[in-house]
Amino acid sequence: MSQEATSTADVPLMGTVLAVQANYYQVRLNPSLLAPLSEKGKALRSSPLLLCTRRARLKKLGQQVMVGDRVEIVEPDWAGGRGAIASVLPRKSQLDRPPVANAEQILLVFALEEPPLDPYQLSRFLVKAESTGLDVRLCLNKSDLLTIEQQQQWHNRLEQWGYQPVFVSVRQGNGISEVRNLLKLRISAMAGPSGVGKSSLINALVPTVNLRTSEVSGKLSRGRHTTRHVELFTLPDGGLLADTPGFNQPDLNYHPHELVNFFPEARQRLTQQTCQFSDCLHRDEPNCAVRGDWERYEHYLAFLEDAIAHQEQIDQQADPESSLKLKTKRGRRQYEPKLETKYRRHSRRTQHQALQELYQEADELQ
Ligand code: GDP
Ligand code: ZN
């Protein structure tokens, strides 16, 4: 057993989990901290990979290990490329479906054409991405199918939404280096509907992607296409990219009052002025700072209805008597009687419809 990869015996051996399959973890050891920044990407790619198990103690503690986790490795067997994970560093962030730790941003990919860019669907994905609390970057592919003027129109429109989209044509090789720059030295999660060119983009960003997949042997490679398998692709200049298929099934796991925070342009309005009521839902309450003449306000209202229906369902599941509680809650809203009517409009039928829609959407996105 050689010690060449450890500088000194008492420095813990740290690495990043790149792939998880069943009880095996593929871990890339951290490059030397002494590597100059410009060399870091190169160092990241060339540092050794170990196939690791999880120490029994972690299992007992119920400590899950996810891709993106920073872990301490013990008992390295350099010749056999094996090791064991002894501990997991606290996570800076955690995505649950699929499980990815320490991601800093979501790279949302949509196509401008084929399929045509649908503002409502885009909004829905953006809101879902924003709800993770991570930075959200927008990448618009198939720019080869639009004129420069049409691209400019989308650019201006999305700027109003609070985004600076990167225009890409994987087919023509345009914009790829811009995307690379966005992903440099960070963990990012890619999301977007199918057919927009995500796989094509990954292939363009990670030229060795097929090579790397076939490199991984035994238990890891067998799970390549199963849903339980999650993998971080290593980009040539040091970023890590997770393809997040589970992210494509829209769910509404946020509270109605949170929703406004997932619209950058609404957040902007709230920095300039506050609403009269601290529990304002920004519908028809008096002196609301959010309601107004901005394009996606309609989307906000539609998503709010969904979120309220979802919340009512959760309340009811938690406590079958909750309709009474809801009434008490509404009782406090005497300043705004219309609100009461709107709440009540969420009959079982509406909830059912919302659910149906969700299932349909999830099906379409499969
Ligand atoms: P995914 O489902 O998001 O992974 O999408 P794919 O990568 O499988 O691509 C879907 C289709 O879009 C394929 O037929 C690609 O050839 C096509 N495509 C990908 N990128 C581009 C592009 O930049 N321009 C055009 N016109 N087509 C593209
Ligand atoms: Zn308001």
Side-chain angles (χ1 to χ4, degrees):
M1 190 160 75
S2 128
Q3 287 288 315
E4 63 195 6
T6 43
S7 44
T8 58
D10 51 358
V11 174
L13 203 53
M14 303 302 298
T16 304
V17 179
L18 296 188
V20 176
Q21 177 62 34
N23 293 318
Y24 287 88
Y25 307 90
Q26 189 189 48
V27 179
R28 187 184 293 285
L29 293 186
N30 286 357
S32 160
L33 292 174
L34 299 173
L37 204 62
S38 58
E39 288 288 308
K40 247 188 176 166
K42 223 170 122 200
L44 266 171
R45 264 183 305 153
S46 56
S47 54
L49 286 172
L50 294 180
L51 189 60
C52 297
T53 52
R54 180 173 57 151
R55 271 277 179 87
R57 195 181 61 88
L58 288 186
K59 217 179 278 180
K60 244 181 243 155
L61 287 172
Q63 169 74 65
Q64 200 192 354
V65 180
M66 304 176 176
V67 300
D69 264 328
R70 313 285 187 193
V71 294
E72 184 188 350
I73 306 292
V74 291
E75 300 158 18
D77 162 10
W78 302 113
R82 300 287 179 130
I85 295 174
S87 64
V88 180
L89 295 192
R91 293 176 185 134
K92 291 188 192 135
S93 72
Q94 178 178 328
L95 294 174
D96 289 321
R97 282 196 307 141
V100 179
N102 299 316
E104 282 176 59
Q105 58 187 5
I106 307 274
L107 181 71
L108 193 56
V109 183
F110 264 74
L112 289 154
E113 272 298 337
E114 294 180 12
L117 185 47
D118 168 18
Y120 186 80
Q121 192 197 27
L122 174 59
S123 231
R124 208 178 161 98
F125 271 79
L126 282 169
V127 162
K128 172 124 197 249
E130 293 278 351
S131 75
T132 63
L134 305 184
D135 288 344
V136 178
R137 312 282 179 189
L138 182 57
C139 171
L140 298 176
N141 188 30
K142 311 200 190 185
S143 63
D144 50 287
L145 301 175
L146 255 60
T147 63
I148 296 288
E149 290 73 29
Q150 288 171 316
Q151 289 178 46
Q152 190 61 44
Q153 277 169 8
W154 273 115
H155 175 89
N156 296 343
R157 188 168 174 185
L158 295 170
E159 203 167 41
Q160 297 295 313
W161 295 16
Y163 297 95
Q164 293 281 342
V166 178
F167 288 83
V168 170
S169 166
V170 178
R171 183 157 290 175
Q172 296 185 331
N174 291 337
I176 305 289
S177 56
E178 246 176 299
V179 179
R180 279 220 176 93
N181 263 338
L182 281 181
L183 304 180
K184 226 180 220 170
L185 300 176
R186 279 174 224 192
I187 299 182
S188 313
M190 179 188 270
S194 61
V196 299
K198 295 187 302 301
S199 315
S200 313
L201 183 60
I202 290 179
N203 281 328
L205 291 167
V206 195
T208 55
V209 64
N210 293 324
L211 200 87
R212 212 176 91 53
T213 309
S214 53
E215 262 172 22
V216 182
S217 61
K219 294 202 169 167
L220 273 175
S221 67
R222 248 188 281 144
R224 177 70 187 87
H225 296 289
T226 67
T227 46
R228 284 198 58 204
H229 181 84
V230 191
E231 182 171 9
L232 285 179
F233 298 111
T234 307
L235 305 179
D237 43 13
L240 294 172
L241 179 63
D243 188 8
T244 57
F247 192 91
N248 296 345
Q249 289 148 39
D251 54 9
L252 302 162
N253 49 2
Y254 45 78
H255 193 276
H257 280 105
E258 288 179 291
L259 178 63
V260 71
N261 300 317
F262 309 147
F263 289 81
E265 67 275 54
R267 286 200 299 260
Q268 175 65 21
R269 292 175 87 95
L270 283 169
T271 60
Q272 287 157 2
Q273 209 190 329
T274 48
C275 300
Q276 181 177 341
F277 298 99
S278 61
D279 60 352
C280 188
L281 282 172
H282 322 297
R283 285 193 291 200
D284 28 29
E285 296 90 336
N287 299 318
C288 169
V290 170
R291 186 179 61 240
D293 187 18
W294 48 286
E295 187 194 347
R296 289 205 298 165
Y297 181 57
E298 289 299 314
H299 295 178
Y300 170 79
L301 291 177
F303 300 161
L304 183 65
E305 295 288 309
D306 288 349
I308 289 172
H310 178 69
Q311 189 61 40
E312 284 186 351
Q313 232 173 9
I314 290 177
D315 290 349
Q316 242 143 48
Q317 274 162 12
D319 174 5
E321 306 277 311
S322 68
S323 55
L324 283 178
K325 284 189 185 164
L326 274 174
K327 270 182 197 155
T328 326
K329 263 194 210 160
R330 284 185 218 137
R332 290 205 333 254
R333 297 180 184 274
Q334 280 166 352
Y335 63 88
E336 217 281 290
K338 264 190 194 163
L339 204 60
E340 192 179 331
T341 334
K342 281 206 172 173
Y343 257 122
R344 199 171 287 145
R345 232 200 284 144
H346 283 282
S347 62
R348 210 175 263 166
R349 192 175 150 269
T350 332
Q351 286 179 20
H352 184 68
Q353 279 175 344
L355 261 187
Q356 280 299 108
E357 275 166 27
L358 265 189
Y359 288 136
Q360 268 167 18
E361 211 163 332
D363 275 349
E364 280 161 21
L365 290 165
Q366 284 292 309

